[in-house]
């Protein structure tokens, strides 16, 4: 069975056919999903999904593009949410230099606050990194993120960066980009990552894997990611399914 460790079923893209999307995921071996809430609206919708479905878990945090809206009250809310047994990690958090919606210094502070909270409540963290690799790694190191570890979401960096993240107890997660013909770095990283540190995800509705690139992504497509990773590592699909699911359950402390 498969574990989609990063999916946005709380996105408007699934408003019309959520039940059908979930049914298709189950048909494609997906047994568990982690829905990511990264601002007030998506967290609340994620909570509803986690309450309704026993196989859906929740990751809560504040996205770097929304960092400018983060307040002490929001930090306290995340602290309260961390007590919910369906909340398995904090995130997605990190840095985003692509979209100019929050100043870098604000992103730094909100990122640091969430890492410190994660260490306080002892939950792993899920990292969003867009065009900010050097600063992301630096802040993770400075804030002793290795105490909780977590996930490098939708990884597409060099093996050297991957090794720095592995040294901080992070798992390396691959999404649809690993199937793109012109995406060399994710493929090289997938070939190199240790089997006990690999995860798979969709990031649906974004970044649909080949041959569905450009269409709405959905959790059933995580099987395409698993099949591609198996090909790259010269293993059977069933082996990658087992490793990635065991890894996710271990990280999220699920039985």
């Amino acid at each position: 069975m498969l574990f989609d460790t990063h999916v946005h079923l709380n996105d408007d893209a699934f408003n019309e056919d959520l039940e059908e999307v979930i049914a298709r995921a189950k048909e494609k071996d997906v047994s568990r999903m982690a829905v990511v809430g990264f601002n007030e609206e998506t967290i609340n919708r994620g909570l509803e999904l986690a309450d309704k479905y026993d196989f859906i878990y929740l990751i809560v945090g504040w996205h770097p593009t929304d960092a400018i809206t983060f307040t002490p009250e929001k930090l306290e809310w995340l602290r309260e949410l961390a007590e919910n047994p369906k909340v398995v990690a904090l995130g997605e958090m990190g840095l985003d230099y692509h979209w100019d919606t929050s100043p870098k210094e604000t992103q730094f502070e909100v990122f640091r606050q969430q890492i410190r909270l994660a260490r306080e409540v002892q939950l792993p963290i899920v990292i969003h990194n867009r065009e900010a690799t050097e600063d992301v790694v630096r802040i993770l190191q400075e804030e002793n993120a290795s105490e909780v570890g977590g996930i490098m979401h939708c990884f597409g960096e060099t093996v050297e960066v991957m090794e720095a993240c592995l040294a901080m107890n992070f798992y390396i997660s691959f999404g649809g980009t690993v199937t793109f013909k012109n995406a060399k770095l994710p493929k090289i990283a997938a070939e190199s990552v240790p089997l006990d540190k690999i995860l798979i995800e969709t990031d649906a509705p974004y970044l649909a894997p080949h041959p569905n690139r450009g269409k709405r992504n959905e959790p059933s497509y995580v099987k395409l990611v698993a099949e591609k990773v198996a090909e790259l590592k010269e293993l059977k699909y069933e082996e990658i399914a087992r490793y990635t699911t065991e890894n996710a359950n271990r990280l999220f402390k699920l039985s």
Side-chain angles (χ1 to χ4, degrees):
M1 304 300 283
L2 302 170
F3 198 137
D4 184 351
T5 60
H6 196 115
V7 59
H8 299 279
L9 287 179
N10 44 356
D11 190 277
D12 289 343
F14 299 111
N15 284 352
E16 302 300 320
D17 62 345
L18 180 62
E19 293 298 331
E20 292 90 340
V21 167
I22 289 174
R24 284 194 291 271
K26 289 190 170 184
E27 289 170 4
K28 294 295 184 179
D29 303 339
V30 181
S31 59
R32 283 176 166 174
M33 306 178 222
V35 169
V36 181
F38 53 79
N39 58 26
E40 188 167 357
E41 178 186 0
T42 57
I43 289 172
N44 282 323
R45 293 177 74 173
L47 286 165
E48 293 172 4
L49 291 170
D51 285 342
K52 184 175 181 180
Y53 300 99
D54 61 357
F55 52 87
I56 287 180
Y57 298 87
L58 187 59
I59 296 167
V60 297
W62 222 257
H63 199 282
T65 58
D66 292 323
I68 200 166
T69 69
F70 198 62
T71 63
E73 291 75 21
K74 297 292 194 302
L75 182 65
E76 185 57 36
W77 185 41
L78 293 180
R79 181 179 285 106
E80 294 170 3
L81 290 171
E83 298 178 6
N84 185 321
K86 292 300 286 289
V87 171
V88 293
L90 297 185
E92 58 188 284
M93 65 179 75
L95 303 175
D96 191 311
Y97 294 170
H98 181 79
W99 301 108
D100 186 22
T101 56
S102 292
K104 287 184 180 180
E105 291 301 326
T106 303
Q107 292 189 44
F108 293 163
E109 182 57 29
V110 172
F111 189 17
R112 290 182 188 277
Q113 287 181 30
Q114 291 184 88
I115 298 171
R116 292 167 189 169
L117 174 61
R119 290 171 55 208
E120 175 189 330
V121 300
Q122 284 297 292
L123 282 176
I125 58 179
V126 177
I127 302 303
H128 173 100
N129 166 29
R130 190 161 187 188
E131 301 171 16
T133 303
E134 184 176 338
D135 286 340
V136 165
V137 172
R138 174 178 58 82
I139 289 174
L140 289 172
Q141 291 171 338
E142 290 174 356
E143 294 295 334
N144 298 315
S146 59
E147 287 186 18
V148 290
I151 301 174
M152 303 307 294
H153 148 60
C154 202
F155 192 80
E157 304 298 326
T158 65
V159 170
E160 290 74 21
V161 172
M162 181 182 76
E163 289 173 347
C165 297
L166 290 170
M168 292 187 285
N169 295 323
F170 278 84
Y171 289 72
I172 309 300
S173 185
F174 298 95
T177 54
V178 78
T179 71
F180 296 173
K181 293 178 181 178
N182 59 346
K184 295 180 180 178
L185 289 179
K187 291 183 176 68
I188 294 170
E191 291 170 354
S192 305
V193 67
L195 283 169
D196 64 347
K197 287 293 185 179
I198 189 170
L199 297 172
I200 52 175
E201 61 173 86
T202 57
D203 199 23
Y206 316 108
L207 296 174
H210 178 80
N212 302 302
R213 188 174 183 181
K215 301 177 183 178
R216 182 190 71 171
N217 200 0
E218 59 178 73
S220 63
Y221 295 165
V222 78
K223 187 170 185 178
L224 296 170
V225 177
E227 289 171 343
K228 184 61 179 182
V229 170
E231 175 192 324
L232 291 166
K233 296 192 83 65
E234 299 181 346
L235 295 171
K236 294 180 179 178
Y237 157 74
E238 291 80 8
E239 292 177 284
I240 289 298
R242 177 170 60 84
Y243 278 113
T244 54
T245 297
E246 287 177 355
N247 292 343
N249 287 333
R250 181 169 63 252
L251 174 66
F252 293 144
K253 297 181 175 64
L254 300 173
S255 56

